[in-house]
Amino acid sequence: MADRFDFIIVGKGMMGAAAARHLARTGARIALIGPDEPEDWARHDGVFSSHYDNGRITRTIDPDPVWALLARRSIERYDELATSSGVDFYSEAGCLIAAPLPGGEDTYLENVIAARDRLGVDAPFISETDLADQFPWFRFPAGYGGVFEPRNAGHINPRALVKAQVALAEKAGVTVVRSEVSSLARVGSVVNIRIVDGATFTTGRVVIAAGGFSISKQLLSRPLDLVVKARTVLFAEVARDDLPRFAGMPSLIGAAPTQDQSYYLLPPIRYPDGKFYIKIGGDPSDINIESEADVRAWFRGDANRAAADHMAGLLSRAMPSFKPAALKWSPCVTTFTRHGYPYIGFADSDRVAVLTGGNGAAAKSSDEIGRLGAVLLENGQLDASEYDTDFAVCFR
């Protein structure tokens, strides 16, 4: 006999785990299905998750009001999440956004300043002269200025954030099934779900929160208009005796007029191997992944050496005094929706829903995105009139 649940969330990543925690407050019978991180990526033939990482930038300033509100509401709950779960996942290191000074052809920094003022965020403008004095770790091209957000900004640990969400969901009565879904089918008013070991579950409503794996035909027969991009991230090891001089270093977004000169980087963060790394991302070009099998293969592979070399060059120019003890790189993916916001809606009548599409901006905002997914499952519709979008699901 199949286990019966009122609601099931497929995908135990940042969005799915958050949805489970928020939905648990309804008192319904809920299951959260998704595997744990594999120990050996290269030998793993199952699904992966982009939250297998210890560092993502968080900030409240965003020129887009939808993403700004998603971030603010999530960040406001960080302390509650950490205190209730006993899991620390947030470091308020601050975030510096550096870009060409206002007044030229590039309007990125102008838009950031306008967003700051609209949101009422305390984040001073940093002149070209003051950048080097206040942030001695970095060097920027001539004609750059910045905006520094010292509070409610810095970086989060996605692995720890998911751990906190899952712990609180379990504490509230959610059944966590640490396995991979192999098939999903709607039959009348119920949805039948099978996992790879053959066990089956039934539910009245299910939400697919599987990130880049949401393109799987086993999960959704009708393909989403979702672009999955292969990403490479570079990790520069910081020698132990070099760590003290990076005290106080914030997260950094370095914006340039072209993609191949834009990047983000984070201060030294301790990773599972016990070493500290400065992480930098900024693929010079896009590589689209067309199938779920290719997503798996990308995660099992060695990422893109040319992209890693490019980012090493960006790092050496942004931090010329830093000499890494070693370099390594890893694969990741980002998912992009048609309208640039997460898909939060039903894909099949009011039984099978979708919660996916981070658009490269969702880690910091995942708690609020998960809450909206929980509202959708509980009520059968999403009432989020405070947002200037309906988060509609789009299909190919």
Side-chain angles (χ1 to χ4, degrees), residues 159-179:
R159 285 185 173 106
L161 174 56
V162 169
K163 180 180 179 181
Q165 298 279 23
V166 171
L168 291 175
E170 283 191 295
K171 184 178 179 180
V174 172
T175 298
V176 178
V177 181
R178 291 173 166 81
S179 185

Side-chain angles (χ1 to χ4, degrees), residues 264-341:
Y264 67 88
L265 64 81
L266 294 94
I269 294 171
R270 186 171 185 169
Y271 272 75
D273 63 1
K275 298 177 180 179
F276 287 80
Y277 297 91
I278 290 175
K279 173 189 170 184
I280 182 170
D283 286 69
S285 60
D286 291 330
I287 301 174
N288 294 349
I289 305 178
E290 300 298 335
S291 72
E292 191 251 18
D294 288 340
V295 178
R296 295 179 190 237
W298 172 253
F299 272 107
R300 287 196 300 268
D302 298 324
N304 185 336
R305 174 62 186 267
D309 289 343
H310 174 80
M311 284 180 273
L314 292 175
L315 179 62
S316 68
R317 291 191 290 275
M319 301 183 68
S321 66
F322 170 50
K323 305 303 178 187
L327 295 174
K328 68 177 185 177
W329 50 94
S330 297
C332 189
V333 301
T334 52
T335 55
F336 293 86
T337 61
R338 182 188 300 175
H339 48 54
Y341 303 118

Side-chain angles (χ1 to χ4, degrees), residues 11-153:
K12 191 165 60 67
M14 287 183 280
M15 293 183 190
R21 179 179 75 88
H22 285 285
L23 195 59
R25 294 172 176 171
T26 66
R29 192 156 188 253
I30 302 160
L32 173 63
I33 305 177
D36 292 332
E37 180 177 356
E39 292 186 7
D40 186 344
W41 286 26
R43 296 178 180 274
H44 178 62
D45 61 1
V47 298
F48 293 81
S49 175
S50 291
H51 80 263
Y52 301 158
D53 187 16
N54 283 26
R56 296 288 172 84
I57 290 178
T58 185
R59 68 189 195 281
T60 59
I61 299 175
D62 195 304
D64 187 299
V66 171
W67 281 110
L69 183 56
L70 289 170
R72 181 172 63 80
R73 287 187 167 181
S74 294
I75 293 168
E76 286 174 347
R77 294 194 283 265
Y78 283 179
D79 283 346
E80 174 198 349
L81 258 172
T83 301
S84 299
S85 66
V87 179
D88 291 327
F89 61 85
Y90 169 51
S91 176
E92 195 175 62
C95 181
L96 172 65
I97 301 174
L101 287 163
E105 293 183 1
D106 190 292
T107 61
Y108 186 92
L109 198 57
E110 289 182 34
N111 294 336
V112 169
I113 292 170
R116 175 202 66 184
D117 295 343
R118 183 178 65 251
L119 297 167
V121 178
D122 181 14
F125 169 76
I126 312 297
S127 69
E128 181 176 6
T129 303
D130 291 338
L131 271 179
D133 292 336
Q134 294 188 31
F135 304 95
W137 310 276
F138 309 131
R139 290 294 179 268
F140 302 103
Y144 265 55
V147 169
F148 178 56
E149 186 176 1
R151 287 176 291 279
N152 296 317

